[in-house]
Amino acid sequence: MSAQYKPEQFEGKWQDFWQKSGLFKMDETSPRQKFYCLMMYPYPSAALHVGHMKNYIIGDVLVRYKVAKGFNVLNPMGWDAFGLPAENAAIKNNIHPRVSTFRNIAKIKQQLHAWGAVYDWDREITTCQPDYYRWTQWLFLKLFDNGLAYRKKAAVNWCPQCRTVLANEQVIEGKCERCSTPVTDKELAQWFFKITDFAEKLLLDAEALDNWPERVLIMQRNWIGKSTGCEIDFVVQETGDLLRCFTTRVDTLFGATYVVVAPEHPIVEKLVRQTDKEEAVSNFAETVRRESRFSRSAEETEKVGVFTGRYAINPVNDEHIPIWVANYVLMEYGTGAIMAVPAHDQRDFDFAKKYNLPIRVVIGDPEASLDSDNITEAYVGDGVQVNSGRFDGMPNREGMERIADYLEGMGKGRRAVNYRFHDWLVSRQRYWGAPIPIVYCEDCGAVAVPEEELPVLLPENVEFRPTGESPLARCEEFVNTRCPRCSKPAKRETDTLDTFVCSSWYFLRFLSPKAEDRPFAREFVDKWLPVDQYIGGVEHAILHLLYARFITKVLHSLGEISFDEPFGSLFTQGMICRVSPLSGKLEKMSKSKGNVVSPDALIEKYGADTVRLYTLFIGPPEKDAEWSDAGVEGAYRFLKRVWRMTTKHLDILREFKPAELSAAEGLSAEAKELRRACHKTIKKVTEEIEGGFRFNTAIAAVMELVNLIYLWEEKLFGEEGAGKAVLAEALAAVIRLISPFVPHISEELWHRLGNTESIFAVPWITYEESLLKAEQIEVVIQINGKVRSRIVVSASASEEEIREAALNDERIRQWVSGKKILRTIVVAKKLVNLVVR
């Protein structure tokens, strides 16, 4: 066996072996405990880099470990093949999206294979294939038939670069999440899913997701944005129209000095019709409507408005207060109208100062005397009701309840709940997506395509470059059809579905990927779901993860499945970052940042195991980490050391018999300590894998064991019988413990030891509890602060005995020979430091 570590000579062999072995395929008839492990499947829009690799290697470690622990593991893989990423990549390369997509699938599949990632490829799915999107269309029809999918004309987010609408969740700080172009508003007729109907259930059920990262749950709660407050009915003085406002601070109602309505509010036109304010208000409203809602609601945006000339009557004091139209109120939040309380809301305060509107304090600050003359900023804390009529002197929290009671008693208000998020906009004016299965008939209106006529096929001969209108609208053979209800000529819907609809249910399809008569086999999904462990990026917290929860709840409510949460446990890995040559800053790996590291070249130079090891050892897997080429070299050196040590003692390993270790008589202190360290490491690695993906600390523990073997291997190799057996036990444990992390070298060494089964077909290594108690301890010896040796002494050794053993150590004698020892410092049972000159 070569003493040189040459991974290129065996890694490919084991990759092929694992794929053909069937070891990592789920057995539908097995009585073993099931474990469904799923990694968020990739967009096949480009080859993967090491930042992507982290996700799949983390999952692969867990799968290999669970297989060795005897679980019946389901570990499938597929392709999120529709959508903007794939279409934009195809346009950039001037080829059809289907060609580009399947080219990239082949490349990524080859990459996953080269990394040693194992999947049940018999369950592979591709969302752009008709056998998959047929059932995505079926899902749309389920929502449509049950009143959960509807079409309406609305102001939507428009990305001028991608030339399509975006859901609110796909807009980050006012910019397209894909291309970072500032988003504008556009009014279009679009299809929506009524996710808001499930808002309360999404919030309540999240409380039981104990194995989800808290930050993901917080992000979802904040996005849903539940607000509890009151709806208050103001009456327009001049017209008698009702103007309903929502507020979370009904305790400040007596401090309302004006009302603001959104420019989009339908009452605006009626308020100013045929008045001297009509032109000014109409022009202002038109200007504001062209602005992005995200920029309008940003804190730094200047608050501007125009007076309508009309007044509203405050229901608690009959005060007539002016009605304004302003840019900082959005139609999509609450009722599209607010009561403005400048003394207790900073936006209202800034607006009132700008336009010289009254400011009235109604909540007294317990630590300061506030009035309209000395207030310099809005007071938003708690206090006592003042200037609030019959409610004066009450703590404002009590005032909230009493004023709400008063409004409800008069019939002029009511307690209400509002949500920040809105229905999921699923229409896309792009080509590469699942066609929406709706037909428009002049007589029948919007008609669903019958289930038996699915799939509505996406035509391939289409000019797919974006123009702002769906490319399908220019494909006559697709558009022109007949109404399923009356058989008269009709037109197909030409928008396609958001790719997140495809990924909102893919975890179900893996259970029966080849089923032709149903989207999923009920008997399997009810047994195997929720997914036991889901792994992916935190960036999907309010996109894919929220949508998948919603669709699961819809299917459960319709009686299609027996569970209503898709993922039992969620792990979100951190990003790998690298300094961008474009910005000079440490940033997430991205082609656009110019800081991508390709795993292909690294694997060619170092082997897949080295790249896997470094990716896992770089830091806690849930944290972001900085990529270091030097770190890759360090991982490579460690594997070379493991290879050298194993090949050097191959005969001992082959002859090793556990029975030789049944008794500890005759073992040297070093041998006893190595046995203890070996079993301690087995316990540590097992607990770190089981306890939450602490792979970096598990690997560090194995590295410590390897260092200990290296320190004592010559001494133990020279011992007869049990001493050699201890060395063999420790080396065999190293091979077994690193196998989930670096499977190629482990499998190769395992078989060279004479084993015929895969290392993953053998039960996971266990430790002996009785060996964990320290009879001896290891003490580090330093000379002038630098580690020069280690000794093993009795756990009960005195400080003087430790000092004497350190001075008598052969290596230390060599280091201090000819020098004067000035001081000997003993740190209790841990360290001896010799200060010499």
Side-chain angles (χ1 to χ4, degrees):
M1 182 176 179
S2 171
Q4 294 294 316
Y5 174 53
K6 296 181 179 180
E8 69 276 7
Q9 293 182 354
F10 58 81
E11 286 191 343
K13 172 183 70 176
W14 293 118
Q15 290 158 10
D16 293 341
F17 170 79
W18 295 322
Q19 186 167 321
K20 295 172 183 175
S21 68
L23 187 60
F24 300 99
K25 291 183 178 181
M26 180 262 274
D27 182 351
E28 293 181 354
T29 62
S30 173
R32 289 176 295 153
Q33 184 177 348
K34 66 98 177 176
F35 187 80
Y36 188 172
C37 184
L38 186 62
M39 286 132 268
M40 292 184 185
Y41 62 177
Y43 290 119
S45 55
L48 303 181
H49 55 67
V50 294
H52 301 120
M53 185 177 184
K54 185 176 180 181
N55 177 57
Y56 302 106
I57 298 309
I58 287 172
D60 191 66
V61 170
L62 187 60
V63 165
R64 290 177 181 276
Y65 172 77
K66 288 293 185 180
V67 167
K69 290 286 285 184
F71 285 81
N72 185 17
V73 176
L74 171 59
N75 179 40
M77 180 51 66
W79 315 101
D80 198 2
F82 268 146
L84 283 176
E87 185 170 342
N88 286 342
I91 291 169
K92 181 179 178 181
N93 295 309
N94 198 31
I95 55 177
H96 194 281
R98 175 169 290 277
V99 175
S100 173
T101 295
F102 281 94
R103 232 179 243 176
N104 288 325
I105 285 174
K107 173 60 180 174
I108 296 171
K109 201 168 181 180
Q110 179 273 323
Q111 286 183 298
L112 293 172
H113 185 71
W115 300 346
V118 287
Y119 300 102
D120 186 345
W121 286 111
D122 289 346
R123 298 180 178 275
E124 181 179 6
I125 60 173
T126 307
T127 61
C128 68
Q129 292 284 59
D131 65 351
Y132 184 89
Y133 70 75
R134 167 189 181 182
W135 301 111
T136 301
Q137 292 171 343
W138 170 89
L139 180 64
F140 178 94
L141 294 181
K142 282 290 180 184
L143 274 80
F144 179 76
D145 291 342
N146 288 278
L148 294 170
Y150 65 94
R151 189 171 186 255
K152 72 171 183 177
K153 196 170 186 180
V156 294
N157 309 310
W158 178 260
C159 174
Q161 176 66 33
C162 296
R163 302 187 73 83
T164 191
V165 299
L166 304 172
N168 286 341
E169 294 85 346
Q170 292 166 307
V171 181
I172 309 299
E173 296 179 350
K175 297 178 180 178
C176 173
E177 58 127 6
R178 287 287 164 209
C179 66
S180 297
T181 300
V183 169
T184 61
D185 282 359
K186 192 170 186 177
E187 193 165 79
L188 292 171
Q190 300 287 282
W191 283 96
F192 295 83
F193 285 169
K194 294 187 74 173
I195 191 173
T196 52
D197 278 13
F198 289 78
E200 198 63 28
K201 190 154 181 57
L202 287 165
L203 283 172
L204 288 175
D205 291 355
E207 300 301 321
L209 295 176
D210 298 331
N211 294 318
W212 277 46
E214 182 59 25
R215 64 173 176 161
V216 172
L217 298 176
I218 289 172
M219 290 167 73
Q220 290 200 2
R221 282 195 290 267
N222 290 344
W223 187 258
I224 293 170
K226 180 179 180 179
S227 298
T228 302
C230 281
E231 287 181 349
I232 304 169
D233 294 340
F234 289 78
V235 175
V236 179
Q237 175 191 344
E238 294 82 1
T239 67
D241 288 306
L242 185 68
L243 183 56
R244 184 163 290 167
C245 298
F246 174 79
T247 181
T248 59
R249 292 292 307 270
V250 70
D251 55 322
T252 66
L253 178 53
F254 284 85
T257 59
Y258 63 100
V259 169
V260 183
V261 295
E264 302 88 354
H265 200 297
I267 202 172
V268 171
E269 184 180 351
K270 187 174 183 180
L271 288 175
V272 298
R273 185 181 300 142
Q274 297 180 346
T275 71
D276 60 352
K277 302 292 185 181
E278 184 172 14
E279 184 176 358
V281 171
S282 296
N283 290 342
F284 174 80
E286 182 61 30
T287 300
V288 174
R289 277 197 291 262
R290 287 196 295 266
E291 297 174 5
S292 163
R293 286 163 292 156
F294 296 93
S295 65
R296 282 168 56 187
S297 58
E299 287 185 16
E300 63 274 12
T301 299
E302 183 184 8
K303 311 309 185 267
V304 293
V306 60
F307 177 42
T308 65
R310 302 296 191 184
Y311 290 81
I313 302 171
N314 188 326
V316 291
N317 58 14
D318 291 330
E319 184 177 2
H320 295 193
I321 56 179
I323 302 172
W324 285 67
V325 178
N327 65 338
Y328 70 97
V329 176
L330 304 177
M331 188 64 215
E332 59 187 39
Y333 179 74
T335 63
I338 66 164
M339 65 177 205
V341 186
H344 305 293
D345 183 283
Q346 192 60 42
R347 296 183 310 164
D348 297 342
F349 183 89
D350 295 339
F351 192 87
K353 284 291 188 182
K354 181 180 179 69
Y355 292 103
N356 198 29
L357 294 165
I359 299 173
R360 182 184 305 132
V361 174
V362 292
I363 307 295
D365 183 350
E367 298 180 1
S369 177
L370 290 180
D371 59 43
S372 57
D373 295 326
N374 68 12
I375 189 168
T376 57
E377 63 179 1
Y379 174 65
V380 296
D382 288 334
V384 176
Q385 301 279 166
V386 296
N387 300 319
S388 299
R390 70 180 69 186
F391 305 100
D392 278 357
M394 283 186 186
N396 72 296
R397 293 287 164 180
E398 181 184 348
M400 285 183 181
E401 297 303 318
R402 300 290 75 81
I403 294 172
D405 290 342
Y406 180 65
L407 288 168
E408 288 182 337
M410 293 193 301
K412 295 184 178 181
R414 65 216 50 83
R415 288 173 171 85
V417 173
N418 263 292
Y419 299 94
R420 174 181 176 268
F421 84 146
H422 295 276
D423 284 338
W424 175 12
L425 193 163
V426 297
S427 296
R428 294 296 178 268
Q429 291 68 47
R430 296 296 289 253
Y431 163 66
W432 195 235
I436 296 175
I438 292 291
V439 166
Y440 298 105
C441 171
E442 287 190 5
D443 293 338
C444 304
V447 181
V449 174
E451 184 180 325
E452 60 271 16
E453 293 182 17
L454 299 180
V456 176
L457 291 171
L458 183 69
E460 294 199 18
N461 187 25
V462 172
E463 173 54 53
F464 55 83
R465 294 184 181 279
T467 62
E469 178 186 46
S470 170
L472 294 179
R474 303 188 296 276
C475 181
E476 290 190 9
E477 60 268 33
F478 175 81
V479 173
N480 295 319
T481 186
R482 291 199 168 271
C483 174
R485 190 174 295 163
C486 70
S487 299
K488 290 182 180 179
K491 303 287 186 183
R492 290 194 187 279
E493 170 62 68
T494 58
D495 285 352
T496 53
L497 286 169
D498 179 8
T499 187
F500 283 102
V501 179
C502 300
S503 60
S504 68
W505 72 281
Y506 80 112
F507 44 89
L508 298 165
R509 184 65 176 171
F510 278 131
L511 272 302
S512 46
K514 296 178 176 63
E516 296 181 357
D517 60 338
R518 51 187 172 169
F520 46 81
R522 174 75 184 262
E523 64 272 22
F524 287 138
V525 298
D526 283 350
K527 175 183 176 181
W528 278 85
L529 277 98
V531 170
D532 294 284
Q533 184 62 64
Y534 199 33
I535 302 168
V538 72
E539 66 271 18
H540 292 297
I542 54 173
L543 286 161
H544 162 62
L545 289 170
L546 189 62
Y547 295 153
R549 292 186 63 215
F550 161 62
I551 291 299
T552 301
K553 292 183 184 303
V554 169
L555 291 172
H556 177 259
S557 71
L558 299 179
E560 297 288 343
I561 55 178
S562 64
F563 53 92
D564 66 354
E565 284 290 343
F567 313 120
S569 182
L570 172 69
F571 180 82
T572 52
Q573 84 279 2
M575 297 181 293
I576 293 184
C577 305
R578 197 181 190 212
V579 173
S580 167
L582 303 178
S583 67
K585 298 177 182 178
L586 187 66
E587 297 186 88
K588 172 189 174 182
M589 267 193 196
S590 167
K591 227 174 182 180
S592 63
K593 308 288 185 186
N595 62 346
V596 163
V597 174
S598 169
D600 303 355
L602 289 173
I603 289 172
E604 186 175 348
K605 183 176 181 180
Y606 298 108
D609 281 338
T610 294
V611 186
R612 287 174 64 111
L613 185 67
Y614 176 64
T615 303
L616 296 166
F617 188 60
I618 195 171
E622 73 276 12
K623 303 289 186 183
D624 294 348
E626 181 178 2
W627 183 266
S628 163
D629 293 340
V632 180
E633 286 280 357
Y636 186 53
R637 287 195 300 272
F638 171 73
L639 293 179
K640 287 200 294 185
R641 170 177 277 192
V642 171
W643 183 270
R644 280 198 309 271
M645 290 171 63
T646 306
T647 55
K648 183 177 180 180
H649 301 297
L650 193 58
D651 291 341
I652 295 174
L653 281 160
R654 284 173 174 167
E655 296 169 3
F656 167 56
K657 297 179 179 61
E660 295 175 11
L661 293 169
S662 58
E665 289 82 359
L667 289 183
S668 65
E670 289 83 359
K672 288 180 180 180
E673 179 56 22
L674 183 57
R675 279 212 83 194
R676 188 185 78 84
C678 174
H679 285 259
K680 182 180 175 183
T681 304
I682 296 169
K683 183 175 189 288
K684 173 76 170 176
V685 172
T686 303
E687 290 176 345
E688 297 296 66
I689 295 175
E690 292 276 6
F693 297 84
R694 298 189 290 266
F695 300 152
N696 59 316
T697 51
I699 292 168
V702 179
M703 288 179 171
E704 289 179 16
L705 178 60
V706 168
N707 288 339
L708 202 59
I709 296 170
Y710 181 74
L711 183 65
W712 292 335
E713 65 175 318
E714 292 303 325
K715 178 176 175 54
L716 295 176
F717 182 71
E719 293 182 8
E720 291 300 321
K724 291 182 180 180
V726 169
L727 177 63
E729 179 191 40
L731 283 170
V734 167
I735 296 170
R736 195 72 183 91
L737 291 173
I738 63 174
S739 62
F741 312 112
V742 285
H744 305 86
I745 186 175
S746 305
E747 193 80 86
E748 179 70 13
L749 292 173
W750 179 257
H751 280 259
R752 294 205 182 194
L753 294 180
N755 297 295
T756 56
E757 283 189 288
S758 168
I759 194 170
F760 302 103
V762 177
W764 181 250
I765 189 170
T766 58
Y767 59 89
E768 292 183 35
E769 191 73 41
S770 61
L771 295 174
L772 299 180
K773 186 177 179 181
E775 296 179 7
Q776 294 87 28
I777 56 173
E778 181 190 53
V779 176
V780 173
I781 309 175
Q782 295 179 341
I783 297 179
N784 294 336
K786 294 184 178 181
V787 177
R788 296 305 184 189
S789 188
R790 287 178 170 84
I791 58 173
V792 174
V793 299
S794 168
S796 60
S798 67
E799 187 173 302
E800 184 56 40
E801 288 172 329
I802 293 173
R803 180 183 290 108
E804 184 178 347
L807 293 173
N808 288 328
D809 182 73
E810 186 175 339
R811 293 187 182 185
I812 296 304
R813 282 182 176 179
Q814 294 173 0
W815 276 102
V816 300
S817 177
K819 298 176 183 177
K820 184 177 181 181
I821 300 176
L822 302 180
R823 291 178 65 198
T824 304
I825 304 166
V826 179
V827 179
K829 301 187 178 184
K830 290 182 179 179
L831 172 73
V832 176
N833 185 30
L834 306 178
V835 181
V836 305
R837 186 175 62 194

